[in-house]
């Protein structure tokens, strides 16, 4: 134990580890805040769908050899978030069907593009890293960290500023609309912010595991908390602790960062499930 503490202290002396912790904690915090809303509105699957879209955009950006892939991946994912919301509301293709069509299609196109045009000799390895995460979060540049910090501050600030309106739309959309709130506008806002969070989270856990950051903390908090405010606070704190703990644990075990963070979230969910069961017995 003492040796491991010394190793952690040594790791924390490196800038790349501190960068990874800052980005991981901010992504986890943003994911938890909006994860509660998505779970309560039964839209948690949209995170998984948009993560597949982000993978497809990332594949195209990689083939085009773009220096900063964020400038392609982010607008494409945001656009698809808007399309998913509009399609689910107005077209014959509704809800989970629309998400399935767009997400599976984007995933298939992304893999085909990488397989056909990638100059890499290890396409399967590149795809696996994109889907399940890699150690890329440990190689972040200062500019990438600052971009994540700025976007995270904007996301958190908007959540706090619009907290009461988001609360109203989440629990009773019809009543919110009747009181003058533009419920559709706030639903669009949630979808766009979710897309931003997913793009930010790809470096942390990979596109297939992003929905875990959105779902697990929210579900864990709902097992022991009863009010919306307490669920949001508990989910945020738990998500931050799991992200930081998962990153540090992955360094000690030399394991992939993304799956390790998700594994810690799963353990926390199991603990909260047991506590909630005992509490409600």
């Amino acid at each position: 134990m003492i040796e491991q503490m010394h190793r952690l202290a040594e790791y924390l002396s490196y800038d790349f580890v501190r960068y990874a912790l800052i980005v991981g904690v901010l992504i986890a915090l943003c994911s938890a805040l909006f994860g509660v809303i998505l779970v309560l509105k039964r839209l948690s699957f949209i995170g998984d769908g948009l993560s597949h879209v982000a993978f497809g955009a990332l594949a195209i950006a990689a083939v085009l050899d773009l220096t900063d892939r964020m400038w392609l991946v982010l607008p494409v994912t945001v656009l698809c978030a808007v399309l998913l919301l509009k399609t689910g509301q107005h077209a014959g293709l509704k809800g989970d069907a629309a998400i399935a069509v767009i997400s599976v299609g984007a995933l298939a196109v992304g893999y085909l593009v990488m397989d056909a045009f990638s100059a890499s000799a290890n396409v399967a390895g590149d795809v696996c890293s994109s889907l399940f995460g890699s150690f890329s979060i440990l190689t972040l540049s200062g500019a990438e960290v600052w971009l994540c910090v700025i976007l995270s501050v904007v996301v958190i600030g908007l959540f706090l500023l619009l907290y009461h309106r988001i609360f109203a739309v989440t629990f009773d959309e019809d009543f919110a609309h009747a009181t003058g709130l533009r419920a559709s506008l706030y639903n669009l806002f949630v979808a766009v912010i979710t897309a931003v969070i997913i793009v930010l989270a790809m470096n942390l856990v990979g596109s297939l595991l992003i929905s875990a950051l959105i779902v697990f903390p929210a579900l864990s908090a709902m097992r022991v908390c009863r009010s919306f405010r307490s669920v949001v606070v508990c989910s945020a704190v738990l998500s931050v602790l799991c992200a930081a703990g998962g990153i540090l644990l992955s360094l000690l075990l030399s394991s992939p960062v993304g799956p390790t963070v998700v594994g810690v979230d799963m353990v926390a969910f199991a603990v909260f499930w047991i506590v909630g069961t005992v509490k409600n017995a």
Side-chain angles (χ1 to χ4, degrees), residues 223-255:
R223 290 296 300 172
V224 298
C225 302
R226 289 294 171 262
S227 70
F228 180 73
R229 187 185 300 272
S230 62
V231 168
V232 169
V233 172
C234 180
S235 176
V237 172
L238 178 63
S239 185
V240 166
L241 292 176
C242 288
I247 292 172
L248 294 176
L249 187 61
S250 72
L251 292 171
L252 290 175
L253 300 178
S254 297
S255 59

Side-chain angles (χ1 to χ4, degrees), residues 111-166:
Y111 183 83
L112 288 174
V113 167
M114 290 187 75
D115 183 64
F117 300 105
S118 178
S120 172
N122 186 20
V123 174
D126 293 340
V127 171
C128 187
S129 295
S130 299
L131 293 178
F132 296 101
S134 63
F135 290 97
S136 59
I137 192 173
L138 299 177
T139 60
L140 295 172
S141 66
E144 289 174 320
V145 174
W146 274 112
L147 177 61
C148 180
V149 169
I150 292 170
L151 289 176
S152 298
V153 169
V154 171
V155 168
I156 296 168
L158 288 173
F159 180 85
L160 295 175
L161 181 64
L162 302 174
Y163 173 82
H164 294 291
R165 294 179 175 87
I166 291 173

Side-chain angles (χ1 to χ4, degrees), residues 29-71:
L29 178 57
C30 294
S31 299
L33 294 178
F34 283 86
V36 172
I37 299 169
L38 292 176
V39 170
L40 289 173
K41 290 177 71 66
R42 302 181 187 275
L43 291 173
S44 54
F45 190 57
I46 197 174
D48 194 47
L50 289 177
S51 68
H52 293 174
V53 171
F55 167 77
L58 182 65
I60 294 174
V63 169
L64 295 176
D65 198 24
L66 298 181
T67 304
D68 192 346
R69 299 172 185 177
M70 180 77 75
W71 297 110

Side-chain angles (χ1 to χ4, degrees), residues 62-85:
V63 169
L64 295 176
D65 198 24
L66 298 181
T67 304
D68 192 346
R69 299 172 185 177
M70 180 77 75
W71 297 110
L72 176 64
V73 178
L74 184 58
V76 168
T77 309
V78 169
L79 177 61
C80 284
V82 176
L83 289 176
L84 280 174
L85 187 65

